[in-house]
Amino acid sequence: MFSLLTGRWGISLILLALVLVVLSLGVLVHRVWTTHRREREGDVAWRREDAVARGGRRLADSGVDDMTGTAFEEFVADLCRRDGCTRVRRVGGARDDGVDITGLLPDGRSFVIQCKRYSQKRAIPGAAVRELIGALTHAGADVAVFVTTTRFTAHALETARANGVPVVHRDLLGHWCAGATLPALIALDGAGQGPTRRRGRTGG
């Protein structure tokens, strides 16, 4: 009887040890996988930021900082056409109601674009984004995009994202000039804006 109980306890201890080993291996595998995922995500983020930065440096070659407002609108319209957009028209002017460019994306969706060629010392305020939101409703377009040569205030970015308005700040504009397409920039939804310490600050 004693030997039988001893045998059962021995088997139980062996099973318990096996369970503990399996659990330990599971924890170890999870930690390795989590670490690998974080490193991979960090690498992807770094590569994206580096690509945006490289685009930003190429932006200087485009001459946008020396363009007039009208010339900048034409420049953006040309980028749209390059990316396969159709029916692209520049409609900006003194009474443009917040819309400078209209057209159709390659997938057929209609879009309106507001362009602001500002000095890097200025930032796009939330009020300007709200104006474009109103213009989108008035025009009945599918997508509204805000394109600028500078940055957006935190409030402006928050307003844009809350209302589904993609923004193309200076860094993404550089990326656009370097070959990124408008649909790809729309999907980024304003990501990658550089630190504000490199540029002038303004309220919004």
Side-chain angles (χ1 to χ4, degrees):
M1 183 68 178
F2 178 78
S3 60
L4 180 61
L5 291 174
T6 302
R8 288 179 178 177
W9 274 109
I11 293 174
S12 297
L13 289 174
I14 292 173
L15 290 175
L16 178 60
L18 288 174
V19 169
L20 291 175
V21 169
V22 171
L23 289 175
S24 298
L25 287 174
V27 171
L28 179 61
V29 169
H30 177 72
R31 287 181 178 176
V32 171
W33 178 81
T34 301
T35 301
H36 174 71
R37 185 184 65 179
R38 288 176 179 173
E39 291 177 349
R40 184 176 180 181
E41 289 175 349
D43 182 64
V44 170
W46 177 84
R47 288 177 184 276
R48 183 169 58 191
E49 291 173 1
D50 182 66
V52 170
R54 284 188 285 107
R57 288 197 292 270
R58 293 177 184 175
L59 183 62
D61 298 331
S62 68
V64 294
D65 293 322
D66 298 321
M67 293 179 183
T68 63
T70 299
F72 180 60
E73 292 168 9
E74 292 288 1
F75 177 75
V76 171
D78 285 340
L79 288 176
C80 292
R81 296 186 185 99
R82 182 204 69 185
D83 293 342
C85 298
T86 57
R87 300 184 186 178
V88 179
R89 294 176 54 238
R90 190 190 73 81
V91 296
R95 303 176 66 179
D96 58 21
D97 295 323
V99 174
D100 296 314
I101 299 170
T102 62
L104 298 177
L105 291 169
D107 62 6
R109 289 180 296 166
S110 58
F111 68 83
V112 294
I113 295 179
Q114 170 69 286
C115 300
K116 290 293 184 185
R117 198 214 64 77
Y118 278 0
S119 162
Q120 294 183 62
K121 295 181 179 180
R122 298 180 63 183
I124 303 299
V129 175
R130 289 193 295 272
E131 180 183 20
L132 179 57
I133 294 170
L136 172 64
T137 302
H138 179 74
D142 297 313
V143 182
V145 184
F146 205 123
V147 182
T148 184
T149 54
T150 185
R151 65 180 183 87
F152 291 81
T153 64
H155 177 62
L157 284 176
E158 181 180 348
T159 301
R161 287 168 180 163
N163 290 275
V165 175
V167 300
V168 178
H169 48 71
R170 185 177 182 85
D171 291 336
L172 288 183
L173 178 60
H175 204 27
W176 197 4
C177 293
T181 65
L182 179 57
L185 296 177
I186 289 175
L188 285 176
D189 196 22
Q193 179 166 276
T196 57
R197 66 176 179 273
R198 295 187 305 175
R199 306 178 176 90
R201 297 171 181 260
T202 184

